[in-house]
Amino acid sequence: MGAKTWMLVYSKRDPKEFLHAGARLDRDATTALVKQLYPSEKLVPLDDGDLCFTCPPDKEIVAGCFPGLAIVAAKEFGIDYPSKLASRFVDAFSDGTLYLHAMHSVVDWFAFGVWRNGILQRSLSLSPDSGIMEDIGDRLPFEQAYWAGEHPAVDPDEDPANYPFPFHPLDLGEAALAAFFGYQLEGMIDPELIQPERIPLMRFERKKAGWKFW
């Protein structure tokens, strides 16, 4: 299936600390958060998912609230320009650090954004076909080696000019998962990282709320 994500993660401290600590999922807080973010939709609980699957179909939302940490995955976050994330999502998490992580293996696209106290600090979006769509702010430490060509996208015997970047976007996407949240989905996975299948998340079917007349 390939690696796919479209999610927001909010935290008041380093998200890795909370996820490594194994905090319990707060189901009441999760339900309340999703209702706050989607007040015009009827939300129907589904069977639980986990952190391995943060690329729900259009008619679903995946979310989890833990002490000091919130995760929400939905179609609204799979956007080419992270800086254009709807203000209602940024405003809802304006007293800490908000991360957007989105990637799609079919088109080799990766995007991420980081806001601190509601202010965008870094945004990047790129794919081989579209090039660099957005590049705002200073590059973060985990990016440096990739831009420096230390993780080339092509084999040593291939011409690097055949690929538009000095790295593969999905490799950078996996590095971002590890740097921000302490886990990865694919590739050479460090055994010291979090196992995402151990982090439960709630799933909701989303329906437009409306009046019925009989």
Side-chain angles (χ1 to χ4, degrees), residues 197-211:
E197 63 272 16
R198 294 188 176 182
I199 307 297
L201 298 174
M202 296 179 69
R203 294 171 55 237
F204 301 86
E205 182 181 4
R206 53 195 301 187
K207 299 180 179 180
K208 290 295 183 182
W211 293 97

Side-chain angles (χ1 to χ4, degrees), residues 44-65:
V44 180
L46 302 171
D47 292 340
D48 281 356
D50 59 54
L51 195 55
C52 286
F53 185 75
T54 53
C55 55
D58 289 354
K59 293 185 178 181
E60 288 187 19
I61 296 170
V62 174
C65 285

Side-chain angles (χ1 to χ4, degrees), residues 38-203:
Y38 297 91
S40 65
E41 298 190 28
K42 179 181 178 182
L43 302 170
V44 180
L46 302 171
D47 292 340
D48 281 356
D50 59 54
L51 195 55
C52 286
F53 185 75
T54 53
C55 55
D58 289 354
K59 293 185 178 181
E60 288 187 19
I61 296 170
V62 174
C65 285
F66 307 84
L69 176 76
I71 300 168
V72 183
K75 63 180 181 180
E76 286 85 352
F77 313 134
I79 52 178
D80 289 335
Y81 299 89
S83 67
K84 296 183 179 181
L85 177 67
S87 59
R88 65 190 179 93
F89 296 114
V90 178
D91 293 344
F93 303 108
S94 61
D95 62 341
T97 302
L98 178 66
Y99 305 83
L100 181 151
H101 189 285
M103 62 183 181
H104 200 307
S105 59
V106 173
V107 292
D108 292 343
W109 165 72
F110 168 57
F112 79 94
V114 180
W115 293 256
R116 290 192 173 88
N117 297 322
I119 305 300
L120 181 67
Q121 303 293 309
R122 176 69 174 130
S123 174
L124 177 70
S125 176
L126 72 170
S127 72
D129 291 338
S130 299
I132 297 177
M133 291 171 275
E134 187 160 88
D135 187 358
I136 298 172
D138 296 334
R139 292 172 180 169
L140 300 180
F142 78 89
E143 300 180 64
Q144 300 295 339
Y146 288 84
W147 291 106
E150 297 178 22
H151 302 279
V154 299
D155 293 332
D157 58 345
E158 294 184 59
D159 184 356
N162 292 333
Y163 198 78
F165 311 121
F167 55 84
H168 196 287
L170 296 182
D171 290 343
L172 185 62
E174 293 289 343
L177 286 176
F180 292 150
F181 317 124
Y183 77 95
Q184 289 181 278
L185 293 173
E186 293 191 342
M188 297 293 292
I189 298 177
D190 185 339
E192 297 298 319
L193 294 177
I194 298 164
Q195 295 179 329
E197 63 272 16
R198 294 188 176 182
I199 307 297
L201 298 174
M202 296 179 69
R203 294 171 55 237

